[in-house]
Amino acid sequence: MTVCEYSPGLEGIPATKSSISYVDGKNGILEYRGIAIEELAEKSTFLETAYLLIWGKLPTQAELTEFETTIRYHRRIKYRIRDMMKCFPETGHPMDALQTSAAALGLFYSRRALDNPVYIREAVVRLLAKIPTMVAAFKQMRKGNDPVQPNDELDYSANFLYMLTERVPDPIEARIFDICLTLHAEHTINASTFSAMVTASTLTDPYAVIASAVGTLAGPLHGGANEEVLTMLDEIGSKENVRPYIEKLIANKEKIMGFGHRVYKVKDPRAIILQRLAEQLFATTGDDDDYYQLAVEVERVVEEKLGSKGIYPNVDFYSGLVYQKLGIPRDLFTPIFAIARVAGWLAHWKEQLGVNRIFRPTQIYTGEHNLGYIPIEERICDTERPGDS
Ligand code: ACO
């Protein structure tokens, strides 16, 4: 076994072999199962892409129809899960609600028959089908409303927007949203996918796998950034304020949300597509264009200041603008990321099961040895508690 040097954040250390997706961060290339993301965004749908990621090939028409129909059939959630969700605090973050609800699915469906393809298929279908319903249900329930039941007439993305907004969406809006899901469906071994793989490697149930990935995605350095991008744009307020605001962040060594990526050192290819979608949406409605222009100015100034360090917009920079324009509340942006990424997490879960070895990295111990146990009355207090004077 080769012993590698310690690399904080495991940067550059391969943690698995995978044929699911490929990223070339220098040239801004992203492929799912060998197909360019640009082509999938243009020609595929989210569910077809999910099928591709999980089963490794594009489905035939019959396979796709069967997959879509089964998912449509499984969209509803059990009333006991709805009742549990009603008890969640309405001020709680929807990611926490989603993590809890996803884990709760395991109470109802876990049989852990991981060597049975039927069990695998059912788990894939249930998770893809029910996660959007749970996100939309919490959005309604925290306002004291009953959840909107899935509409069997609508496809995956249109149905989600319908459950969220209680109106059948415009087909263009539904298509744009579906492309957003495709763009977020998979991205190699990022933090949440790694979390999913570590959990999967213990051979626990898939609901625990997804719940742990959701918890990891919730952090502001990962999926939480698109919420913060809009907060930043609000704070900036006007085009004139962009330069001083960005310069101040850089001077204070603060991170600019929606910029930078561990792998991409050029503009994220997903950000390029999302920017086009944002342009399309803003052009359709005509209003609020100032907000989009503000984002473009932020990109221009950040590129001028930090482009030489390889810091460009990532997937989160324009996605928030698109979601806001679709009328989605900000704290649902990350749960929507999770709805999409369930496809990638499940693909890695399935791949992990095929070659499983429990993850057990090593560490470099930096503590002391042979210190001995000090009786409590001999211990010296060497830290002040907050409030002590
Ligand atoms: N703003 C300003 N400077 C930045 C940014 C940023 N957004 N990102 C990186 N840098 C700078 C760092 O200050 C550092 O500079 P230094 O070498 O002079 O000290 C250098 O670039 C390297 O930064 P790291 O934090 O070491 O890069 P890392 O690869 O660990 O971080 C990360 C990647 C976490 C995404 C980072 O760029 C970041 O925090 N961005 C803002 C949050 C964000 O948008 N997250 C979403 C990422 S996409 C996703 O998860 C779906």
Side-chain angles (χ1 to χ4, degrees):
M1 190 183 67
T2 328
V3 178
C4 302
E5 259 182 53
Y6 168 56
S7 171
L10 297 183
E11 183 167 4
I13 311 273
T16 191
K17 289 183 176 176
S18 177
S19 60
I20 299 169
S21 63
Y22 169 78
V23 177
D24 173 345
K26 280 200 195 96
N27 296 303
I29 294 170
L30 169 61
E31 293 170 347
Y32 295 168
R33 299 284 188 187
I35 304 175
I37 190 66
E38 291 79 5
E39 198 170 358
L40 289 167
E42 189 192 330
K43 299 178 185 163
S44 186
T45 61
F46 170 66
L47 280 189
E48 185 186 55
T49 298
Y51 189 108
L52 168 74
L53 289 167
I54 296 165
W55 278 285
K57 68 168 190 82
L58 285 168
T60 62
Q61 184 59 62
E63 286 166 336
L64 182 60
T65 305
E66 199 265 334
F67 188 50
E68 287 173 344
T69 311
T70 321
I71 286 178
R72 206 174 280 228
Y73 179 78
H74 283 281
R75 280 170 180 167
R76 282 171 177 70
I77 48 174
K78 288 187 184 292
Y79 79 87
R80 287 208 279 178
I81 292 188
R82 286 208 306 271
D83 283 356
M84 177 195 79
M85 292 179 73
K86 276 187 189 149
C87 301
F88 292 172
E90 59 279 12
T91 50
H93 196 284
M95 277 302 268
D96 297 329
L98 179 59
Q99 188 183 19
T100 312
S101 323
L105 287 175
L107 289 165
F108 294 92
Y109 301 112
S110 174
R111 278 177 286 118
R112 234 174 274 164
L114 297 176
D115 51 356
N116 179 350
V118 176
Y119 173 82
I120 303 280
R121 194 176 170 81
E122 283 176 1
V124 163
V125 163
R126 282 203 187 99
L127 281 157
L128 282 167
K130 294 182 195 304
I131 294 275
T133 311
M134 295 192 297
V135 171
F138 183 64
K139 191 243 173 188
Q140 296 296 345
M141 286 193 244
R142 69 180 173 179
K143 288 191 296 183
N145 300 338
D146 280 334
V148 178
Q149 288 303 313
N151 181 337
D152 291 341
E153 302 300 312
L154 299 176
D155 67 19
Y156 194 81
S157 289
N159 174 60
F160 174 69
L161 292 175
Y162 166 77
M163 291 187 296
L164 213 57
T165 60
E166 296 174 72
R167 69 171 177 87
V168 175
D170 177 281
I172 294 175
E173 289 181 0
R175 174 65 190 145
I176 286 179
F177 183 76
D178 197 71
I179 296 172
C180 291
L181 294 186
T182 300
L183 295 177
H184 286 84
E186 159 64 7
H187 207 247
T188 73
I189 311 300
N190 50 74
S192 57
T193 302
F194 187 48
S195 195
M197 287 165 56
V198 172
T199 310
S201 79
T202 68
L203 300 185
T204 184
D205 70 76
Y207 309 102
V209 169
I210 297 303
S212 80
V214 170
T216 310
L217 184 66
L221 294 187
H222 194 4
N226 55 8
E227 245 180 280
E228 302 201 20
V229 169
L230 293 192
T231 309
M232 175 179 79
L233 291 178
D234 285 345
E235 277 171 17
I236 294 176
S238 69
K239 261 178 147 180
E240 302 69 56
N241 198 27
V242 169
R243 184 170 292 276
Y245 185 96
I246 297 297
E247 283 175 350
K248 194 170 163 209
L249 284 184
I250 294 172
N252 292 341
K253 297 203 174 309
E254 284 179 60
K255 291 278 172 67
I256 302 154
M257 287 295 138
F259 286 84
H261 199 277
R262 175 63 60 81
V263 183
Y264 293 116
K265 299 305 162 202
V266 293
K267 189 165 173 178
D268 186 328
R270 300 164 299 173
I272 296 171
I273 302 171
L274 281 161
Q275 182 173 9
R276 248 182 260 133
L277 297 179
E279 261 170 21
Q280 194 185 336
L281 267 180
F282 279 89
T284 321
T285 55
D287 56 1
D288 270 356
D289 186 50
D290 288 355
Y291 212 66
Y292 172 70
Q293 294 305 332
L294 192 61
V296 172
E297 180 65 6
V298 170
E299 177 178 349
R300 202 181 63 75
V301 174
V302 175
E303 185 178 334
E304 180 194 308
K305 300 270 167 199
L306 298 174
S308 58
K309 283 172 90 174
I311 292 162
Y312 289 93
N314 59 45
V315 67
D316 281 329
F317 189 61
Y318 287 105
S319 60
L321 284 182
V322 172
Y323 295 150
Q324 176 152 289
K325 204 72 191 126
L326 291 172
I328 297 170
R330 285 183 190 181
D331 61 359
L332 292 193
F333 294 175
T334 316
I336 286 167
F337 191 156
I339 289 174
R341 191 51 64 83
V342 164
W345 293 331
L346 288 171
H348 285 273
W349 168 61
K350 203 165 154 289
E351 188 173 66
Q352 181 67 34
L353 293 181
V355 289
N356 194 49
R357 185 147 195 240
I358 189 166
F359 276 95
R360 191 9 177 138
T362 188
Q363 63 165 18
I364 297 165
Y365 178 65
T366 59
E368 298 178 77
H369 294 283
N370 302 321
L371 288 183
Y373 180 83
I374 304 169
I376 197 160
E377 58 282 4
E378 290 173 26
R379 293 176 207 164
I380 299 161
C381 176
D382 56 3
T383 49
E384 282 192 359
R385 281 172 303 175
D388 281 356
S389 57

